[in-house]
Every structure is written in C-alpha cells, then in structure tokens.
Amino acid sequence: MSSDQVRAANLTITLRGAVHSAARAAVDGVLEQDDVAARLAAKDATLWGTDAAAEAAVRLGWMDLAQTSRALLGQIAQLAADKRALGLDRVVLAGMGGSSLAPEVITASRNASLVALDTTDAGQVRTALGTDLERTVVVVSSKSGGTVETDSHRRAFEQAFTDAGIDPVERIVVVTDPGSPLAALAAEKGYPTVLADPDVGGRYSALTAFGLVPSALAGVDVEALLDEAAAVSETLAEGGNAALLLGAALGGFAGHDKVVLAGATPAGLGDWIEQLVAESTGKNGTGLLPVVVEGAEAPGFVPGPDTHLIAYSEDGGPDAAHADTLVSGPLGAQFLAWEYATAVAGRLLGIDPFNQPNVQESKDNTKALLDSAGDDGPLPTGTPLLVEGAVEVYTADPELLGEAKDLASVLQVLLRAVPEDGYLAVMAYLDRHGDTAAATLRPGLAALTPRPVTFGWGPRFLHSTGQYHKGGPANGVFLQITGETVRDLPVPGKPYSFGRLQLAQALGDFGAIAERGRPAVRLHLRDRAAGLTELTSALGSVQP
C-alpha cells in the first residue's frame, strides 16, 4: 500500500492507499499548476470562480486570525478577570453552529467547564436557567445578531436574572459582528461586547471572538491556541504543505464523498469538522458527507469506493489501522488546517465553500408555521400513520411505509430505502443532555446497514449538516425524532414558547426535506423515555 506523510511545524498528515495516490495527483496537477497554495495564502478571492468571488472577498479573514485575533486578548483577559472577581465561574454559551461548536471543542480539550446552550428544547433550557444562577455568566453569541434560538436564550436569561434580583448587565457578555442588531441592542442595554471579524464566516470562526471569548471565560489559555495556529500559518503559502495535502485528500479523490471522522482527541473535534465540511461543500447537488462515529472501529464505517476514513488526534494517539488519512496536531493547528483544507476541497469540487444557500429555507418554514398558526393555534403536525406504544409515526409519503405495521418494520423500510450511494440521517429534536439514549440509535442503525448513518441534535444540526441535507446529493433518507414537551417554557416577549418553537423548527425542516421528495419519517415520542426504550427494543427486531 502506498503512503505519504507530510509534517508542517506542529501538524502531520499521513495518507494511505488510493487516497494517497489521488491526493498526490491533485497536488502535483491542478493545485500546483494553478498556484493554489500561494494564492490562498494571499487571499485571492478568484480561486473559486467569478460567481463566488464577491462572497470569497469578504470571507477570507480566517487566514490571518492567528495574528489578528491577538488584538482581542487584552479585552478578553480583562473580561475574564472581571467575571472571576464577581465569583462567576459557571459559563453558559448561548449560541448556535459556528458560535458554539468551536468553544465546546476548545473547553472540552482543555478540561474546562462550559455549558453550551444550542437548543430550543424547553427541558434543556430550563436546566440551564435553573442551575447555579448566582455564579453564572452568559455569553450571547451570534454573528448575524438575529439568530432566533440565541435571541430566545438571551430573553430567558434576562428574565431569570431579573427575577432573581440580579442585574443582567453584570452577567451577560455579547459576541457579535459590528453593526448587527445584537450589537445595537447590547449598546442600548450596556452589555459588555466583543466584536468579531466580519470577514470571517461562522463555521470558519473558531479563532475569532466567537471561539476565544467563552473559552477564556471558562479558564482556557486562548493565546496558546493562537500560537498553535500560527505555527501552521507560516507554512500555508508553500506548495505541497500539509494542509494542502489534506484538502487534496478531501476534494481530489473522485467518488469518495463520505468522510468518516474518528478520534478521541481533541475532544469533540469531529462535530466541529462536520459543520465545516458539510455546510461548506454540500450544495449544487454535490458535496462531502461527514459521518462522525464513536471510534475508528465503530459501526458506521464499511470500507467502500465512496467512503474515506479520517482519524484525527492531538498528539499522535492510537493509529487507526485502516484509516485512509491521519491528521495529528494540537487543536489550534487543526482548526486552521481543516479550514484551509476545506477551502482547497471547494476549489477541487468546483463549489463556493463560503456560502450556504439552503440554510435559510428551514428558518423561513419555521417562521411561516408560527405565523400561520397564530399565538394559540395548533401547528400542522398531521395524522399519524400508525401508533405503537409511546411512538407516533408520520410521513409525507404514505407509500414509503407500504405495509409497515410496527416500529421495527418502519425502521426496516427506512434502512432498505437507502440507495447504494446514499446515507441515513437521524435528526433528534430532543434534550441533548436529558434524552441521551437517542444518540445510541446511530450505532444501532449503523450495525444494520453497510451505508453510513449520521446523527444530529436539532435544531443544532440546522446550522451544520442541514445545508448538506437539502443542497447536497439527493441520496439521503431521513429519520426525524420529536418528543412531547411536558413542562414548556415561555420565550419572554414573544408569542411562542420554547416547545412550540422547537416543534415548528422540526416541522419546517421536515417540510423542506419532503418537498424534495426525499424519503423521510417522523417519529413523535408521546413519552420520551418510554418512546426511546421502545425504539431501542424495535431495533433489536430489525433484520440487517
């Protein structure tokens, strides 16, 4: 088996077999001929074609963040010192997608505590509000300044602080882009604000204020993170650099459009890579599907002509025996290398890696559902095709389920509907911390099919793989899971509750998928714990 290893400062990329051959061909061919490394380092916005140039021109600031973000370190350090002096050692991050995934990885990999609130689940929000409020500081983080989930979190915490006799100005820190509605609101209310680089898109923002502020408040040495990135940054103009080779491995191997991600360190990195790669490449009917698995030997990886296994680690770590690509290096280096590699993959795939044309669709559907139902009207959930125990089964295409009479046969139908080049996506609009049994469905289903199975918590994945689901290849099969809200929670100042918003988001996204004619089933848990138990039991009756 042919192999190749490239070291650049603190980053090492190892390629094997056919991936090595194809990546080398891409580097020695189009990437070298077009001088891609030097042009990307120089932030040449024309690299992705004339149609993408205007977007790229205002989305390449991430290339310089290892240096430019240092200007924020003094302000961030002072903020952290001020909050610690007040005894605020519990950090809650209210943010979605690019505003939450990087800080989660940073804090988890540095053994720092962070509560990431990236949901509209009433139970999960209620827990965040009701835990140690007296020592809590909240980072309200939104690039656009209009993210509905984050705005709802802000409103809820403002109300909770006020009810507890706490001045929200002492407890809320805002991270947003200059000129956003959130920046204006923060100025009006007097919230401390850190402004991020507007020339960096959300999923490329790990080393901006979005990644650094909550991490520093949680006690992480964020300057060290920038140092790790800076070491790699110095190599990126060189032809054949390690990050370029990774980009060639991602985008230069025709047919390898399923990227299986496995690694224990840095903790949670796979979820961050998933958003970066899926949202950047999943458009125009093409793209790379990231599949985050529990380990290199976990169910969900079956070597095949369309599957590329990437193992990552912070310090070398255990070698995945059958990995096509190994990426090793500290977290700051990994952030920058993956961003660079994804931009290179976009060049090879012929797409704009900086836009997300289908993300807004589900947001618009959600708003339309809430507006049409009014303040008190029922949301259009439809009529279940069958009910088994605590689980109701819905689909927009009754013919899809045929003669299915129980949960096991519904799951069997979905697995058999996955085409040879396709995948099954499990999308759980539940409590990420309270309904953890839902996550076991991914490996359970993956053990029953040779095709990849992905898992996402809703609405968080709408800011991640949601773009790929709608803009990528039309070969996905979708299993959405919703749950009854027993104790709802109002969103202060809005006519809807968190539970109502969560259900509207689920129905809006389900509608966007169904409108494309893609096989989709919604399972509604009338009792969450009982329903998840019944689902797990039904899996045991499904024939592979």
Side-chain angles (χ1 to χ4, degrees):
M1 175 186 293
S2 62
S3 65
D4 197 359
Q5 186 176 84
V6 174
R7 291 186 177 90
N10 52 3
L11 184 76
T12 302
I13 307 295
T14 304
L15 304 181
R16 295 172 174 155
V19 169
H20 160 241
S21 301
R24 267 297 164 198
V27 169
D28 296 340
V30 63
L31 296 180
E32 182 176 304
Q33 292 166 14
D34 292 348
D35 201 17
V36 168
R39 290 171 63 193
L40 182 51
K43 296 191 288 187
D44 182 346
T46 67
L47 272 171
W48 301 274
T50 54
D51 290 344
E55 179 84 24
V58 292
R59 286 291 177 264
L60 288 167
W62 53 270
M63 287 290 301
D64 301 326
L65 290 173
Q67 289 75 40
T68 57
S69 284
R70 294 177 191 273
L72 299 175
L73 292 178
Q75 181 187 8
I76 293 172
Q78 187 61 58
L79 264 177
D82 291 346
K83 300 311 174 187
R84 281 195 294 270
L86 293 172
L88 307 180
D89 60 356
R90 177 177 179 262
V91 182
V92 175
L93 171 60
M96 301 297 296
S99 299
S100 67
L101 289 166
E104 274 204 275
V105 177
I106 295 167
T107 52
S109 66
R110 300 300 198 257
N111 296 314
S113 179
L114 178 74
V115 178
L117 192 58
D118 55 358
T119 184
T120 46
D121 185 84
Q124 194 172 329
V125 175
R126 188 185 297 278
T127 298
L129 290 168
T131 304
D132 298 325
L133 199 64
E134 70 282 356
R135 60 183 187 87
T136 295
V137 58
V138 179
V139 181
V140 177
S141 187
S142 169
K143 180 176 176 62
S144 69
T147 309
V148 65
E149 298 96 334
T150 306
D151 179 68
S152 300
H153 301 152
R154 174 189 61 80
R155 292 168 179 272
F157 268 101
E158 284 177 342
Q159 186 68 60
F161 285 135
T162 300
D163 290 348
I166 298 170
D167 184 356
V169 173
E170 290 185 351
R171 302 302 189 90
I172 292 177
V173 173
V174 167
V175 181
T176 189
D177 274 6
S180 78
L182 180 56
L185 182 143
E188 177 186 331
K189 290 180 175 284
Y191 295 149
T193 301
V194 183
L195 296 176
D197 187 335
D199 289 343
V200 180
R203 56 188 177 273
Y204 290 81
S205 66
L207 298 174
T208 69
F210 290 108
L212 302 183
V213 171
S215 302
L217 287 172
V220 174
D221 179 359
V222 294
E223 185 173 7
L225 199 70
L226 297 179
D227 290 342
E228 293 165 1
V232 170
S233 179
E234 294 173 359
T235 72
L236 296 183
E238 302 168 4
N241 71 75
L244 186 77
L245 190 63
L246 176 59
L250 288 172
F253 191 14
H256 262 204
D257 62 351
K258 314 292 191 304
V259 180
V260 180
L261 299 164
T265 61
L269 182 61
D271 290 337
W272 178 83
I273 297 171
E274 177 184 52
Q275 183 200 18
L276 176 68
V277 172
E279 201 170 44
S280 296
T281 70
K283 59 200 72 169
N284 303 336
T286 187
L288 303 170
L289 175 71
V291 185
V292 181
V293 299
E294 297 75 15
E297 310 298 331
F301 174 67
V302 177
D306 64 348
T307 310
H308 179 178
L309 175 62
I310 300 181
Y312 56 83
S313 69
E314 194 156 11
D315 55 5
D319 214 20
H322 53 273
D324 302 295
T325 301
L326 302 174
V327 184
S328 179
L331 182 56
Q334 294 247 13
F335 279 150
L336 182 55
W338 279 99
E339 289 164 355
Y340 183 99
T342 301
V344 170
R347 164 76 180 200
L348 292 171
L349 293 170
I351 52 93
D352 177 357
F354 306 114
N355 70 351
Q356 48 281 332
N358 303 106
V359 167
Q360 188 63 34
E361 182 177 353
S362 290
K363 296 179 183 179
D364 292 342
N365 284 0
T366 296
K367 185 178 186 302
L369 286 168
L370 290 170
D371 289 347
S372 63
D375 293 357
D376 303 312
L379 293 171
T381 56
T383 303
L385 267 67
L386 65 91
V387 178
E388 181 177 332
V391 184
E392 299 173 346
V393 181
Y394 297 83
T395 181
D397 178 16
E399 293 184 5
L400 170 66
L401 296 183
E403 299 301 315
K405 300 298 183 184
D406 55 25
L407 280 178
S409 56
V410 168
L411 296 174
Q412 185 87 67
V413 165
L414 281 175
L415 288 167
R416 290 178 176 171
V418 180
E420 289 187 6
D421 65 344
Y423 65 99
L424 173 64
V426 182
M427 309 170 295
Y429 285 81
L430 300 170
D431 184 336
R432 183 154 70 105
H433 304 302
D435 300 319
T436 54
T440 66
L441 295 173
R442 196 216 71 80
L445 288 162
L448 297 169
T449 176
R451 304 312 304 145
V453 179
T454 68
F455 180 89
W457 293 103
R460 145 178 165 155
F461 77 85
L462 293 178
H463 301 258
S464 175
T465 52
Q467 167 62 44
Y468 185 96
H469 293 165
K470 293 177 279 291
N475 57 6
V477 174
F478 300 89
L479 174 61
Q480 186 187 85
I481 305 172
T482 56
E484 201 68 21
T485 299
V486 177
R487 292 181 64 206
D488 208 345
L489 186 68
V491 177
K494 291 292 183 179
Y496 48 77
S497 64
F498 279 97
R500 189 171 177 83
L501 175 58
Q502 181 187 41
L503 181 58
Q505 289 177 310
L507 295 176
D509 192 51
F510 195 82
I513 290 169
E515 286 169 8
R516 288 168 167 76
R518 301 185 183 180
V521 166
R522 180 170 73 94
L523 303 181
H524 183 70
L525 312 180
R526 298 191 293 185
D527 178 291
R528 296 191 182 196
L532 288 171
T533 298
E534 290 167 11
L535 266 175
T536 302
S537 176
L539 268 179
S541 302
V542 176
Q543 298 300 313

